[in-house]
Each structure stands twice: as C-alpha cells, then as structure tokens.
Amino acid sequence: MAAPVWSVDPRTGKQREQVAVEATAEEVDQTVRAAYAARKALADRTVRAAFLRTAADLLDGAGEFVIEAADAETALGPGRLTGELARTTYQLRSFADIVDEGAFLDVLIDHADPDAGPAPRPDLRRYKVPLGVVAVYAAGNFPLAFSVPGGDTASALAAGCPVVVKAHPDHPGTSEVCASVLRRAAARHGLPEEVVGLVHGFDAGVGLVRHPLVAAAGFTGSIRGGRALHDAAAARPTPIPFHGELGSLNPVVVTEAAAEERGEAIGGGLAGSMTLGVGQYCVKPGLVLVPVGPAGDRVVRSLTEAVSDTAEGVLLDARIRDAFVAGIRDRAALPGVESPVTPGESGENAVSAGFLTVPAARLSDGDGHALLLEECFGPVTVVARYEDETEVSAVLARLPGNLTATLHIGEEESAAGEGPAARLLAELAPLAGRLLVNGWPTGVAVAPAQHHGGPYPATTSTSTSVGGTAIERWLRPVAFQSTPAALLPPELRDDNPLGLPRRVDGRRES
C-alpha cells in the first residue's frame, strides 16, 4: 500500500492532514508517459503564451487560499508569501512575453553562397526546439517561486516542454493546490491537463530522473540530494541535462574604507540580509570578511545590536532545525571561534538568530576550520576578522563556487579603476555567478540580465534559473541544410510568416 503524504505544521510539528500518497513506480511511469503524449499540444506559441498568462491570473485569483495553504505548511508568513506569489505570477507573465516575442528560438539563416571562403557555403537554417518532458524538483524554502508554479516550470512550459514536478515534502498541500490551478489554466486553452504532472515521494523523485522519456531536469535543494540526482541523470543509458542549484556560502568582503565610512550601516544591513526568511535564502551571506581594528569593530557592534533585536523564527521542518542546531554546535566548538550572539534553539520548535566570529587566519590553517566555509542553513553567519588583504586572498582561495559574492568598498575606492577594490573584485569574479558592490545578495530580481547560478556546488551547469534566459535550459539547436522551402518549418522560411526576430546572412532582422 502506498505511503500517505501528510501536511505538517512546522510551528507545532504536528500533522495537519493527509493530502496525497507517494507515487508508485507505475504511477511515475504513467505520469511521465501522459506528459510525453501531451507535448505536441504545446507546439503553438500563441496558445502557450495565453496558457501562461491564464495560469498567472488564476493564481492571483486564488491568492488568499494559496498563501494560507503555504503559510500553514512553511511558517514563512503571509507578508513574505504575498511577495513570493507576486514574483511567481510576474515570472509566468514574463515568460509569456518571451514566447510571444520569439527571440528565444534564436533563428539564424545563412543563404547558400557558392563564392564564400574558404569553401562554398550551403543553405543553412538554425533554430531551437524543446527538449521534451522536464522533471522539476520543487524547493522547500520557496513553496511558490521555486516550486510547482515557479521559474523552472514556467520556463519549461514557455519552451514548449511538459513538466512533471516532484513535490517537496514540506509543502505537499500547497503543491497540490498550485498544480490544480495550472491544470485549470491548461484546460481553458484546450491543452491536456497532463502538460503539468505532479508526483510525491523520495522514490518517485529518483524514478523520475531515471525515466527514459524525461529529457532534462531542474532542481533546487541540498548538495547531497542534488548531487545524487545529478549522478543518476549522468548514469542513465542516455544521460540528460541536470540543472541543479545545490548550495552556496555567498561570501562578503568589507574593505577598511567601507567599514570606516559606514560601519554601522553595514552591520545593520548584514543582520537584515542574514536573518531574512529565518536565514533560509539560498543567497544568504554566510561568510563575511571584516577588517580587524576600530572600523571593523563598529561593523560587529552594529551587527550584534541588530541581530539581538531579531525575533525568533520557525524553520521549514524539524530536520532542518536539527541540522541547524547541530551545525552551530560543531562550529562554535572550533578553536578561536566566538559567538557574540549565540544562535540556536528557542523553545520547542523555534530558533534564534546569531553569528560567530573567527580570525581569518584560522580559515586557512587546516585544523578543522573548513567547516566554517560550508553553508549552514538558517539564521547564522560567520564573521572572519582579517589583518590585511593577503589574509582575505588566502580565504577566498579556499572557497568553492557560489551563487553570489559581495564587495563593500569606500567612496574613493568606487571611483578608482585600479587598487584594492579592483583586485578584490577580480578575485571574487571566478567564485560566483552574480557579483554585488555595496549591496546585499538576498533578493534576486527577475530581469533579462539576471544570472542566478554559479560554479559548482552552487549549480551543476552554467545556466541561470532566474530571468528570461532560463528558458535556454530546455531547448536544443537544430540546423537544416539545403532543405527545400516546402519542407522547412515556418520559423525558418524566407517569408517569415510568424514574424520572428532573426539574423539573416549576418544581419539582424526584427
């Protein structure tokens, strides 16, 4: 008999209701095959765009119910979830606009040229086509924007790919509600509801990435879980792309000049960023390099005051809470580590925010302090006090890949094209997919130029999961050579019946 799937209240740790059952291997197979059979229905770009806009409208219309369901399962709060729902529907509408525009198809036409060098050129026409069924692994910390109706789903559907979502166990009820909304939107435009599938259960997630009809996968979660699925995707008889977001420390470097000019503001800003969402953001600043001395002391004092005033919070589930408490205990026990504000347990289900400090030199001495260079999910950060730029460089040299890296500099440093700020930015650039100057990484704008990704283990590919170019993950190029006009797809015909932007013989047409 299939195991029940329960909705759990993280504020009490008690089961709320059974919302589903874990999918069997046969049910996973049926769901994937149904999605695969529905793929041709997504071929019409006009219908796809309308479907995405209707999905956004229906989610907005059901907003009160969706937010109530998500809050009951995540304890993230109505305010945070209201903003997340707005982000989610904005993403859906943005991808609808991208589908309408058509530039994502990347149409290139080179007419035959017998006089081309170094050899005659045949007629070549290239565009991009959808990969097929996409497996989406929902995130726990974003029950909307990175889950069933989130960016992976929206971008895959925009590309013309059906999706099968593996629901996150922390919000199964919310997942069911959102899947139902997306299916209603599909039905309104004559699309099979199977263009959006949903399965529950650990084994279902493994079976999904191994299914021969799944063509690609998107994942947001832990390093351990993401790496296991990545390896399973690579071990298939036919490997598939696995776009995983796994883990990130998101280092911050504060220069002496920045600390002198606005130490108090930096400390307060850091406190707000590291405790946002109870420290459960993938871009939370987890390591902050602050100079030794009076200027750096002002940063730490301000941080102490702000974090001390931060209310306790509830993490997404008991497993995450236990890992947070154990992680703090292990880090605090290391030589040279101090805790100006001690994070940890607060009552039966809540946790309190805090931070640890350590001499930066300890992070490169090889006596077990490498633990401080690993992400600790929850409301905590590590402040490493450095003596000089050499110590900063030594720490940065030990860091793995990250989603973000931040540099806080002084006013004069901002105007200098050379000097310490330029050198530090150059050192940070290889470590992350997004570089920030005088800001904080929490908050990832949905915009065409956004890049939410980074070197491993931040992500398993070079792609972004946020912004318009996220659609590229679910497409592949196909070139037609010397193909009769009557046999060409409409996207590649000379008369451009679909009115697509394209490049013809090296010149951009729109």
Side-chain angles (χ1 to χ4, degrees):
M1 184 175 178
V5 174
W6 291 91
S7 173
V8 176
D9 182 350
R11 293 181 174 95
T12 65
K14 296 180 180 179
Q15 293 178 340
R16 298 176 60 246
E17 59 180 342
Q18 182 182 341
V19 298
V21 295
E22 294 187 358
T24 64
E26 292 76 15
E27 289 167 336
V28 171
D29 180 62
Q30 291 168 5
T31 302
V32 173
R33 290 186 182 280
Y36 182 80
R39 71 194 188 285
K40 292 183 180 179
L42 290 170
D44 189 317
R45 286 191 302 118
T46 302
V47 173
R48 287 210 306 274
F51 163 39
L52 292 171
R53 291 191 179 97
T54 298
D57 292 343
L58 292 179
L59 280 169
D60 281 338
E64 185 176 349
F65 181 60
V66 170
I67 290 167
E68 181 181 357
D71 180 52
E73 293 186 311
T74 65
L76 289 172
R80 147 71 195 274
L81 291 166
T82 297
E84 186 178 336
L85 178 60
R87 176 194 182 91
T88 302
T89 57
Y90 177 83
Q91 284 183 140
L92 287 162
R93 295 186 179 101
S94 294
F95 279 113
D97 292 342
I98 288 169
V99 173
D100 278 339
E101 180 196 34
F104 73 97
L105 294 170
D106 197 18
V107 177
L108 302 171
I109 296 176
D110 289 318
H111 290 105
D113 184 355
D115 298 322
R121 185 180 69 210
D123 185 272
L124 288 166
R125 298 160 188 253
R126 178 186 186 270
Y127 78 140
K128 291 181 178 177
V129 299
L131 289 175
V133 179
V134 171
V136 172
Y137 293 82
N141 56 340
F142 282 88
L144 305 175
F146 285 83
S147 294
V148 173
D152 285 351
T153 296
S155 58
L157 291 171
C161 298
V163 299
V164 178
V165 183
K166 189 272 180 186
H168 196 281
D170 281 350
H171 45 80
T174 308
S175 298
E176 288 286 344
V177 169
C178 291
S180 175
V181 170
L182 294 183
R183 289 168 181 155
R184 282 196 289 121
R188 287 197 182 183
H189 295 280
L191 295 171
E193 295 186 1
E194 290 80 8
V195 296
V196 178
L198 181 68
V199 296
H200 297 265
F202 176 85
D203 290 341
V206 176
L208 190 58
V209 79
R210 290 175 174 168
H211 197 286
L213 295 182
V214 168
F219 171 91
T220 303
S222 69
I223 293 177
R224 180 180 178 184
R227 183 56 193 256
L229 291 171
H230 170 273
D231 291 350
R236 291 169 37 138
T238 302
I240 60 171
F242 183 87
H243 300 283
E245 179 192 323
L246 311 188
S248 183
L249 191 62
N250 306 302
V252 178
V253 178
V254 180
T255 68
E256 179 80 22
E260 288 178 352
E261 291 176 16
R262 56 182 199 283
E264 291 79 5
I266 291 173
L270 172 58
S273 185
M274 59 158 281
T275 61
L276 188 65
V278 202
Q280 297 173 113
Y281 276 59
C282 53
V283 288
K284 179 199 76 175
L287 174 69
V288 187
L289 288 149
V290 175
V292 168
D297 291 345
R298 287 199 296 274
V299 175
V300 174
R301 281 198 301 271
S302 176
L303 175 62
T304 301
E305 293 171 3
V307 171
S308 298
D309 291 338
T310 301
E312 65 181 26
V314 176
L315 296 178
L316 293 166
D317 62 39
R319 176 185 55 82
I320 291 174
R321 182 176 184 271
D322 290 346
F324 172 72
V325 172
I328 296 300
R329 181 182 61 243
D330 293 345
R331 287 164 173 80
L334 293 171
V337 173
E338 298 180 357
S339 182
V341 182
T342 303
E345 295 177 279
S346 181
E348 187 175 352
N349 295 292
V351 296
S352 59
F355 70 98
L356 308 175
T357 62
V358 65
R362 288 277 194 176
L363 299 179
S364 54
D365 63 11
D367 65 349
H369 287 77
L371 181 61
L372 297 173
L373 303 181
E374 297 177 9
E375 180 184 19
C376 185
F377 198 67
V380 64
T381 194
V382 175
V383 175
R385 305 294 300 271
Y386 67 87
E387 295 281 355
D388 52 35
E389 192 178 329
T390 301
E391 286 192 354
V392 173
S393 297
V395 173
L396 296 181
R398 298 200 64 191
L399 297 185
N402 294 271
L403 293 170
T404 72
T406 301
L407 179 62
H408 279 270
I409 57 179
E411 186 174 352
E412 289 188 6
E413 290 174 317
S414 299
E418 298 179 356
R423 288 195 299 271
L424 287 169
L425 200 60
E427 289 186 54
L428 290 171
L431 298 177
R434 179 163 59 106
L435 302 176
L436 298 92
V437 177
N438 293 346
W440 298 105
T442 39
V444 184
V446 180
Q450 184 60 270
H451 186 80
H452 189 61
Y456 185 86
T459 55
T460 60
S461 71
T462 58
S463 302
T464 179
S465 61
V466 177
T469 55
I471 195 173
E472 296 173 1
R473 297 174 295 169
W474 322 121
L475 299 162
R476 69 177 182 88
V478 177
F480 289 73
Q481 180 172 327
S482 303
T483 304
L487 299 181
L488 287 170
E491 292 86 351
L492 298 180
R493 294 175 187 168
D494 280 335
D495 60 350
N496 196 10
L498 302 180
L500 295 170
R502 58 188 190 170
R503 186 176 292 275
V504 179
D505 294 333
R507 294 184 177 183
R508 177 68 64 185
E509 295 182 356
S510 58

